[in-house]
Amino acid sequence: MEISLKTSAADHTAANTSMLVTTVAYLLLNGAQLFETAVLVPVWTAAPPASLHLFHGPYGLNFKVFWIVAHSLHELTFLAALILNWKIPARRKILLVVFVAHIAVRAWTLLYFAPVIIFFQQIPVTDAVDQMLVQKAARWREMNLVRVAAFMVLSFILIPLNRTAKTTGNAVPQV
C-alpha cells in the first residue's frame, strides 16, 4: 500500500529517503549492539575483576566514543526523518512514538548502563573473582538484553513506514 503525500515530488523523495536512511542506521546500530551483547559482554561480565582484561592495557577496549558517535549520527537521521515526514500523518504519529520511546531507552542507557560500565572499566584486573562484582555484572548483562530488545523492536517498527510516499497533488494523505 502506498502513502499519499500532499507535497512536491522533491518533498516526497526527501521524506522517503530520510525514512530509509534512519531505518538502515537503526538496524546497523542494532547489529553493533547484538555483536557487543553476544561477543564482548559475556567476556567482561564472566568473573570480574579477573574478566575485565578487555578494558585494560594499551589495547583495552573503550566503547564510549563509538557509541556516542553512532547514536548521535542515528539520532540526527531520526530528527531529519521526523522533520521531512511531518506532513505524512501516518508516519508522523509512529515516528513520534518511536522517537519518544527511543529517547526513554537512551536516557536509561545514560543513567544506568553507561555509569556501570565506566565503573567496571576503572576496576583494575586481578586474578581474583569478586562475587559482588559478578552479581553486579550479571544484572547489567540481563538488563542489557532488555535494552537491546527494546531498541530492536523500535527499529523494526520503522520498517513498514518505508512504503513509498507518492505525490497526489491536493489529495488528503492516506495510508
Side-chain angles (χ1 to χ4, degrees):
M1 177 182 307
E2 294 179 342
I3 299 172
S4 298
L5 176 60
K6 182 183 167 183
T7 54
S8 71
D11 288 343
H12 89 270
T13 299
N16 291 335
T17 301
S18 69
M19 196 67 247
L20 180 61
V21 168
T22 200
T23 302
V24 169
Y26 217 156
L27 294 172
L28 288 171
L29 250 163
N30 285 345
Q33 290 170 337
L34 288 172
F35 173 80
E36 181 182 63
T37 299
V39 177
L40 302 176
V41 171
V43 173
W44 75 261
T45 61
S51 60
L52 299 176
H53 62 278
L54 281 177
F55 301 135
H56 296 283
Y59 306 105
L61 297 177
N62 185 346
F63 311 113
K64 185 170 74 173
V65 172
F66 170 78
W67 286 119
I68 289 171
V69 170
H71 278 290
S72 297
L73 290 174
H74 168 251
E75 286 156 4
L76 287 173
T77 68
F78 210 134
L79 287 171
L82 267 170
I83 291 165
L84 295 169
N85 285 278
W86 195 254
K87 293 180 182 178
I88 307 172
R91 281 186 181 170
R92 177 178 59 225
K93 290 174 190 170
I94 296 170
L95 278 169
L96 276 172
V97 169
V98 172
F99 188 72
V100 168
H102 172 83
I103 294 302
V105 178
R106 287 282 286 130
W108 185 29
T109 298
L110 296 173
L111 294 171
Y112 173 73
F113 292 97
V116 172
I117 199 166
I118 290 168
F119 165 78
F120 276 105
Q121 289 172 336
Q122 294 172 346
I123 296 172
V125 176
T126 67
D127 290 334
V129 176
D130 181 328
Q131 287 308 312
M132 189 173 88
L133 292 177
V134 170
Q135 289 174 358
K136 186 173 181 129
R139 179 169 167 75
W140 190 98
R141 183 178 59 241
E142 291 161 5
M143 292 177 72
N144 183 59
L145 291 173
V146 174
R147 177 178 63 137
V148 170
F151 278 133
M152 291 185 69
V153 167
L154 292 172
S155 67
F156 291 163
I157 291 170
L158 298 182
I159 293 171
L161 297 181
N162 280 279
R163 295 174 293 195
T164 303
K166 67 177 190 173
T167 304
T168 61
N170 292 325
V172 177
Q174 342 163 359
V175 175

